[in-house]
Amino acid sequence: MKTAIATNNLTKIYTEGKNEVTAVSGVSLALKEGEVVGLLGPSGSGKTTLLSMLGCILRPTSGTLSVYDNRVEHLDEQDLPVIRKKYLSFIFQGFNLFPALTAYENVMLALSLKGFSENDASVRATNLLTEVGLSERMHFLPRDLSGGQKQRVAVARALASGSQVILADEPTGNLDHINGRKVMELLKKLSVEQSKCVIVATHDNRINDLFDRILYMQDGTIIKEDRRQE
Ligand SMILES: Nc1ncnc2c1ncn2[C@@H]1O[C@H](COP(=O)(O)OP(=O)(O)OP(=O)(O)O)[C@@H](O)[C@H]1O
Ligand SMILES: [Mg+2]
């Protein structure tokens, strides 16, 4: 399987006035197509920071980052969106839905931005919202959806674009056990059937069995890696 994302000594130092916080320190890893990777670790260990760099949302302070063999650590605000659009989908820790748009319109918007025609976008949006169990609520505004339903809209939106890499920050954080598993099983299915590379930051130990590999973070570094025994 192809390597989707690779890093070498990836580091992020936040500076606030005279204070420096090393949020991620010297992380080297390779994520391949067709694998679902869990990123576990205590609050503040650097999961969101690492995921944001891998998702080309946050620029590293040092180290290298490649997305499908494109070196991206030096790219600026003009070029990064090109890489994001081509390869990456992000499911945020909050939902980041547009409040004035219905579930369906939120997914449609993401598809239009990716360049899908109106017809193709409509079919894809409807199929995905049905797949995450929202066929009945497609035309509701976010304020009329529960937390779990909003989260599933965010998942459908991320999947709609068809990106080969899905980065998810606590995608089951606001869901009960059953719906949380459903979301993870959907991500797993996409990885198995379409060789997507999926990386999930989570505190939810109940979904560990769905990961092919688990990376444990502490104080900005990966301290341990578990691979599922085949
Ligand atoms: N924008 C920022 N400016 C300064 N420090 C930050 C910023 N974002 C995060 N940090 C710090 O970097 C460290 C890592 O934070 P990060 O959000 O990556 O952790 P996390 O593992 O995702 O935590 P959680 O499980 O609570 O979501 C923390 O010490 C945090 O306070
Ligand atoms: Mg976080």
Side-chain angles (χ1 to χ4, degrees):
M1 288 283 187
K2 262 193 227 163
T3 297
I5 298 183
T7 75
N8 193 19
N9 263 320
L10 201 65
T11 297
K12 180 70 191 182
I13 301 169
Y14 293 109
T15 6
E16 284 178 288
K18 282 189 179 157
N19 286 336
E20 289 195 337
V21 178
T22 305
V24 170
S25 176
V27 167
S28 302
L29 51 76
L31 303 174
K32 292 192 184 301
E33 287 187 342
E35 68 172 349
V36 183
V37 177
L39 191 57
L40 270 69
S43 181
S45 58
K47 303 182 296 296
T48 296
T49 303
L50 177 58
L51 216 56
S52 305
M53 289 193 285
L54 301 179
C56 297
I57 290 168
L58 184 69
R59 266 180 86 169
T61 307
S62 61
T64 67
L65 173 63
S66 307
V67 178
Y68 283 94
D69 295 331
N70 302 285
R71 287 284 290 271
V72 299
E73 71 273 10
H74 297 305
L75 294 187
D76 60 21
E77 292 309 314
Q78 286 203 311
D79 294 323
L80 274 178
V82 179
I83 296 287
R84 283 204 295 265
K85 191 169 163 187
K86 191 160 175 195
Y87 300 107
L88 310 167
S89 271
F90 213 96
I91 302 171
F92 292 93
Q93 201 160 6
F95 316 111
N96 283 19
L97 298 178
F98 288 98
L101 302 181
T102 65
Y104 171 81
E105 289 163 345
N106 263 285
V107 179
M108 283 293 281
L109 176 64
L111 289 165
S112 327
L113 292 175
K114 286 261 179 177
F116 284 90
S117 73
E118 176 88 18
N119 271 347
D120 285 355
S122 178
V123 172
R124 275 179 98 89
T126 307
N127 285 345
L128 274 156
L129 286 163
T130 305
E131 197 155 0
V132 297
L134 289 177
S135 56
E136 317 264 290
R137 293 207 146 65
M138 230 176 263
H139 301 293
F140 284 44
L141 290 170
R143 65 158 186 259
D144 299 324
L145 296 170
S146 72
Q149 289 165 345
K150 277 187 272 212
Q151 194 145 25
R152 282 183 276 155
V153 178
V155 171
R157 183 178 58 180
L159 304 183
S161 58
S163 302
Q164 201 53 27
V165 182
I166 298 167
L167 305 110
D169 201 356
E170 307 272 1
T172 65
N174 300 281
L175 298 178
D176 59 51
H177 183 44
I178 291 174
N179 283 309
R181 258 200 105 76
K182 273 193 200 153
V183 163
M184 270 312 298
E185 281 166 0
L186 180 59
L187 294 174
K188 176 85 185 171
K189 181 173 148 215
L190 286 161
S191 160
V192 172
E193 291 177 359
Q194 300 174 24
S195 298
K196 291 198 192 282
C197 168
V198 180
I199 177 157
V200 177
T202 186
H203 283 113
D204 189 351
N205 285 317
R206 299 169 304 183
I207 54 176
N208 282 3
D209 59 305
L210 293 169
F211 295 129
D212 300 308
R213 203 149 60 101
I214 300 181
L215 307 174
Y216 293 91
M217 279 196 95
Q218 194 176 309
D219 298 331
T221 62
I222 291 170
I223 51 161
K224 187 165 86 122
E225 175 177 339
D226 276 348
R227 216 172 255 280
R228 190 222 294 268
Q229 307 293 320
E230 291 301 333

